[in-house]
């Protein structure tokens, strides 16, 4: 492994004590409390409820709302997400979102990605926070919108008192209501904090290591169903890295993404609007380009055995690729046309044309779907021939 170039960066004691101190405290206090008092059912329920509150505030708030502007939130929702995110103790929105934008911009760059997986699992997971590495030091040049966001700036200014206040209010109220203050503090407070930390950290570490790359192989980000379960939907990280402004990470309707369900539900009750979706033909195009790439790799592996069937198969795949290229050309032309007409005018005529464009785009999408179905059949037969 490449040695850390900034190994001498000063230790960040606040992060170190928080990240290493909380598990040590939990390892001592939780078994002792369980031995002498036992935890109430309410304390266990508070663990799951508060884990959902803090984790979803990070995924729907810090990540998709503030880092990516994937939708707009009404003020009450912003305040809830800000307070829930403060409860997750992952530094301020400003620091978090700015660093995350740098991660997307320079993903996998050993010098500039603040949590580059190229420096290994532990660095990407939490090592990057233990010292004040230059790559992780934010200057907020990439966050002018956040510097103008009152909720973000309020939280940044009063971050430490807010962290203390949300813990006292949330844990105190629940603990008092269920008459098990220490049980709630230990499970809903301490254990929940450790779990919600590592769930978020998995996105930077494991989601860049294990899983499939159906949309792009230009970076290390992976789609992983199991990690999506653990991370409230953020496990579809390959899709997220190619289309970061989409409010969905699990873009297919059946993919497990509670964060997208939450945002969508908020939009239905007026708490969120302008949910950004990448046009489906762009998604299909990316997916199909990768499928062709994988088919080529399969051919490289199996294709040595030159027999009649294999030759035919190679030819079919090449033909299908050519047809796919034609569709892409038509798609590019259509996009150009759309741009010209958008620039031209917003008239009734344009709206009629807009309708026609929509139909043409749908047609392109059908063609992409057709290529995809054909390619899938070809790859299946290719595998059959080669075995
Ligand atoms: Zn990432
Ligand atoms: Zn992101």
């Amino acid at each position: 492994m490449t040695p850390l170039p900034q190994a001498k960066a000063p230790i960040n004691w606040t992060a170190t004590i928080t990240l290493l101190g909380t598990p040590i405290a939990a390892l001592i206090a939780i078994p002792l409390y369980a031995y002498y008092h036992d935890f109430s059912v309410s304390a266990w329920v508070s663990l799951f409820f508060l884990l959902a509150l803090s984790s979803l505030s990070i995924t729907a708030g810090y990540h998709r709302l503030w880092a990516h502007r994937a939708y707009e939130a009404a003020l009450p929702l912003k305040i809830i997400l800000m307070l829930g995110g403060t409860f997750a103790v992952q530094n301020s929105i400003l620091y978090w979102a700015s660093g995350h934008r740098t991660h997307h911009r320079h993903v996998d760059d050993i010098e500039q990605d603040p949590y580059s997986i190229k420096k290994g699992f532990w660095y990407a997971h939490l090592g990057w926070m233990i010292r004040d590495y230059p790559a992780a030091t934010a200057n907020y040049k990439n966050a002018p919108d956040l510097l103008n966001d009152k909720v973000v700036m309020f939280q940044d200014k009063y971050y430490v008192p807010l962290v203390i206040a949300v813990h006292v209010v949330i844990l105190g109220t629940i603990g008092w209501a269920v008459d098990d203050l220490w049980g709630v503090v230990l499970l809903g407070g301490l254990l929940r904090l450790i779990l919600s930390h590592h769930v978020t950290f998995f996105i930077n570490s494991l989601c860049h290591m294990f899983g499939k790359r159906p949309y792009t192989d230009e970076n290390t980000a992976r789609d992983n169903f199991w990690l999506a379960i653990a991370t409230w939907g953020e496990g579809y990280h390959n899709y997220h890295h190619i289309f970061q402004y989409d409010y969905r990470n699990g873009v297919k309707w059946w993919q497990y993404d509670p964060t997208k369900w939450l945002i969508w539900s908020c939009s239905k009750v007026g708490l969120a609007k302008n949910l950004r979706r990448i046009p489906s033909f762009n998604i299909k195009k990316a997916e199909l380009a990768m499928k062709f790439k994988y088919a080529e790799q399969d051919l490289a592996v199996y294709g040595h055995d030159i027999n009649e069937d294999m030759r035919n198969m190679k030819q079919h795949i090449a033909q299908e690729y050519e047809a796919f290229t034609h569709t892409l050309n038509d798609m590019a032309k259509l996009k150009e046309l759309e741009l010209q007409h958008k620039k031209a005018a917003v008239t009734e005529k344009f709206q009629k044309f807009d309708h026609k464009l929509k139909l043409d785009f749908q047609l392109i999408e059908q063609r992409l779907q057709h290529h995809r179905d054909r390619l899938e059949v070809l790859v299946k037969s290719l595998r059959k021939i080669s075995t």
Side-chain angles (χ1 to χ4, degrees), residues 103 203 208 237 241:
H103 166 63
I203 302 160
H208 279 268
H237 207 54
H241 263 276

Side-chain angles (χ1 to χ4, degrees), residues 44-308:
W44 283 108
V45 173
S46 80
L47 165 66
F48 292 105
F49 171 73
L50 295 175
L51 182 62
L53 172 74
S54 46
S55 302
L56 284 166
S57 296
I58 293 292
T59 59
Y62 273 47
H63 188 213
R64 299 192 202 181
L65 173 66
W66 281 296
H68 294 299
R69 295 271 167 214
Y71 66 100
E72 285 169 39
L75 187 63
L77 179 61
K78 272 173 122 176
I79 292 172
I80 293 169
L81 293 173
M82 180 272 279
L83 294 173
T86 308
F87 191 54
V89 196
Q90 295 188 15
N91 215 322
S92 73
I93 298 164
L94 184 63
Y95 178 89
W96 197 108
S98 167
H100 189 72
R101 288 177 185 180
T102 311
H103 166 63
H104 274 267
R105 192 182 168 133
H106 298 290
V107 62
D108 297 333
D109 185 309
I110 203 150
E111 297 294 337
Q112 296 187 74
D113 179 353
Y115 19 92
S116 175
I117 195 67
K118 302 283 177 188
K119 289 185 186 170
F121 169 84
W122 281 110
Y123 182 87
H125 193 69
L126 54 74
W128 67 278
M129 288 173 276
I130 297 296
R131 288 176 187 269
D132 289 321
Y133 293 106
T137 309
N139 60 23
Y140 309 134
K141 272 189 193 150
N142 62 0
D145 55 325
L146 301 179
L147 292 169
N148 279 318
D149 186 317
K150 287 199 173 74
V151 174
V152 170
M153 294 316 287
F154 174 82
Q155 190 224 30
D156 193 67
K157 190 169 174 194
Y158 300 107
Y159 183 67
V160 175
L162 271 173
V163 168
I164 297 166
V166 287
H167 278 80
V168 170
V169 171
I170 295 175
L171 298 177
T173 311
I174 298 177
W176 170 78
V178 302
D179 198 21
D180 182 11
L181 180 65
W182 284 107
V184 170
V185 166
L186 288 175
L187 294 185
L190 188 60
L191 187 58
R192 180 268 323 165
L193 184 65
I194 298 161
L195 291 176
S196 90
H197 272 162
H198 290 276
V199 158
T200 302
F201 305 161
F202 279 152
I203 302 160
N204 299 333
S205 56
L206 297 181
C207 289
H208 279 268
M209 295 172 84
F210 301 108
K212 292 188 171 152
R213 292 197 273 191
Y215 301 97
T216 176
D217 61 356
E218 279 174 16
N219 58 62
T220 53
R222 305 288 209 271
D223 270 17
N224 185 316
F225 166 74
W226 299 107
L227 288 171
I229 299 222
T231 58
W232 306 86
E234 305 272 50
Y236 300 103
H237 207 54
N238 186 256
Y239 178 79
H240 177 60
H241 263 276
I242 187 169
F243 298 124
Q244 57 174 304
Y245 302 112
D246 201 315
Y247 86 95
R248 307 155 299 182
N249 277 16
V251 69
K252 310 236 157 91
W253 67 268
W254 46 265
Q255 285 177 324
Y256 179 84
D257 185 353
T259 306
K260 95 180 158 188
W261 298 328
L262 175 72
I263 297 168
W264 182 85
S265 306
C266 286
S267 77
K268 293 293 156 198
V269 293
L271 285 170
K273 62 177 183 181
N274 294 337
L275 277 49
R276 289 165 81 178
R277 295 176 179 88
I278 299 297
S280 51
F281 48 81
N282 284 0
I283 301 168
K284 280 212 169 79
K285 175 192 156 187
E287 217 176 349
L288 200 50
M290 276 313 294
K291 276 188 191 292
F292 273 111
K293 211 167 186 179
Y294 289 133
E296 236 168 62
Q297 287 170 7
D298 276 0
L299 274 176
V301 175
Y302 307 134
H304 299 297
D305 179 19
I306 296 296
N307 57 34
E308 191 62 27

Side-chain angles (χ1 to χ4, degrees), residues 300-328:
V301 175
Y302 307 134
H304 299 297
D305 179 19
I306 296 296
N307 57 34
E308 191 62 27
D309 285 346
M310 194 59 85
R311 260 199 298 272
N312 281 340
M313 197 51 66
K314 265 187 167 175
Q315 208 181 358
H316 285 316
I317 291 180
Q319 278 167 353
E320 200 52 43
Y321 188 74
E322 211 181 303
F324 171 56
T325 319
H326 279 301
T327 308
L328 289 191

Side-chain angles (χ1 to χ4, degrees), residues 25-50:
L27 275 174
I28 298 166
I30 291 174
L32 275 180
Y33 189 85
Y35 183 75
Y36 288 108
H37 296 272
D38 217 355
F39 288 105
S40 63
V41 175
S42 309
W44 283 108
V45 173
S46 80
L47 165 66
F48 292 105
F49 171 73
L50 295 175

